[in-house]
Amino acid sequence: MIVFITGASAGFGAAMARTFVKNGHQVVLAARRKDRLDALAKELGESALPIAMDVTDKNSIEEALSMLPQSWRQIDVLINNAGLALNTKPAYEVPLEDWETMIATNIKGLVTMTHALLPAMVERGNGLVINIGSVAGRTPYPGGNVYGATKAFVEQFTLNLRADLAGTGVRATNIAPGLCGGTEFSNVRLRDDAAAAKVYEGTQPLTAEDIAETAYWIASLPPHVNINQIEMMPTCQGYGPLNIKRNLG
């Protein structure tokens, strides 16, 4: 099985790469930070192929795919993992650039990659697209604004893929994690390492390895089984009350 992972240089992507290679599969490692990709590829050996690529740039995607060796071109599993959150301020205070970056990465990059690889999967009659969503795609919270909206898109896009792919043999899944530590997610979002550490203070969050094991389980199921969506949370996390702003003065 050949697995193509975007955002493979760290976090979920690197953990998934390790898990698939450990279980005997080939992995294309795609991300912008080539130095990290090369280090991961050195760790994983010949079963990993690093390829520098920016999912927000269609030309970069096309060039990266054209550079794949012939023996690596039959992608069995596409994992659209590249994504990010920026800012937790209210919508009226967030710079437009942060919204644009999230939309370009979490939506545009995901659909461009899917559009590039899906037709060949349908032609072969097998394949799997795993999209990495978030509980934020279904559960709104203050400061979630465009990040949550992009993950709602991921969920709905995945379900609509399922509608179009019925009978083709190609599967599609949305993995929607909750609180997950040990990645760069909060560091990137908050742009403050100390503040990012406080997000996980006193918790036992999900880990990147938990997400990787889930992705591998989905990919290893019999080809007639489709997991439409998995929403995951650590046991320390749950649903809270609706946000109420009280003016008692």
Side-chain angles (χ1 to χ4, degrees):
M1 185 160 62
I2 299 178
V3 184
F4 193 110
I5 303 175
T6 67
S9 61
F12 294 174
M16 289 188 285
R18 291 185 178 101
T19 298
F20 277 94
V21 168
K22 179 182 70 176
N23 285 282
H25 304 290
Q26 295 171 263
V27 177
V28 179
L29 309 170
R32 292 175 299 174
R33 295 178 291 187
K34 191 172 186 306
D35 56 334
R36 291 201 179 193
L37 290 180
D38 289 342
L40 182 59
K42 184 177 180 181
E43 172 195 331
L44 298 178
E46 294 182 357
S47 293
L49 177 67
I51 185 161
M53 188 188 79
D54 181 353
V55 297
T56 68
D57 183 343
K58 184 173 68 172
N59 292 330
S60 176
I61 290 174
E62 291 173 351
E63 182 179 356
L65 293 176
S66 71
M67 291 172 59
L68 288 176
Q70 197 63 40
S71 60
W72 285 79
R73 293 197 173 190
Q74 185 173 308
I75 306 301
D76 300 293
V77 180
L78 166 62
I79 303 181
N80 283 311
N81 167 69
L84 78 168
L86 294 173
N87 227 305
T88 56
K89 291 180 179 179
Y92 49 85
E93 294 182 4
V94 179
L96 178 60
E97 291 77 12
D98 284 358
W99 283 4
E100 291 172 330
T101 299
M102 288 186 281
I103 291 168
T105 308
N106 302 355
I107 295 179
K108 183 181 175 183
L110 182 145
V111 299
T112 305
M113 279 302 310
T114 303
H115 191 269
L117 297 181
L118 194 61
M121 292 182 177
V122 172
E123 186 177 346
R124 293 194 307 269
N126 65 77
L128 169 63
V129 177
I130 296 178
N131 294 323
I132 303 299
S134 169
V135 297
R138 182 171 292 188
T139 305
Y141 58 88
N145 45 77
V146 166
Y147 173 68
T150 64
K151 293 305 184 177
F153 175 92
V154 172
E155 176 176 340
Q156 192 62 23
F157 178 63
T158 307
L159 294 176
N160 277 288
L161 280 179
R162 287 285 300 118
D164 287 344
L165 293 171
T168 66
V170 180
R171 301 179 289 167
T173 299
N174 178 42
I175 299 178
L179 186 70
C180 192
T183 74
E184 299 175 337
F185 178 83
S186 290
N187 305 75
V188 171
R189 184 174 204 174
L190 302 175
R191 300 181 173 100
D192 182 327
D193 290 350
K198 285 187 176 296
V199 172
Y200 309 100
E201 202 171 71
T203 72
Q204 185 176 351
L206 298 175
T207 67
E209 289 70 30
D210 295 328
I211 309 306
E213 290 296 334
T214 302
Y216 182 74
W217 171 72
I218 292 167
S220 61
L221 288 170
H224 69 284
V225 178
N226 193 95
I227 302 300
N228 299 330
Q229 168 145 322
I230 290 184
E231 186 176 273
M232 304 169 62
M233 285 184 181
T235 55
C236 66
Q237 185 181 30
Y239 294 99
L242 293 174
N243 183 40
I244 298 174
K245 178 66 175 177
R246 302 183 188 276
N247 186 357
L248 303 176

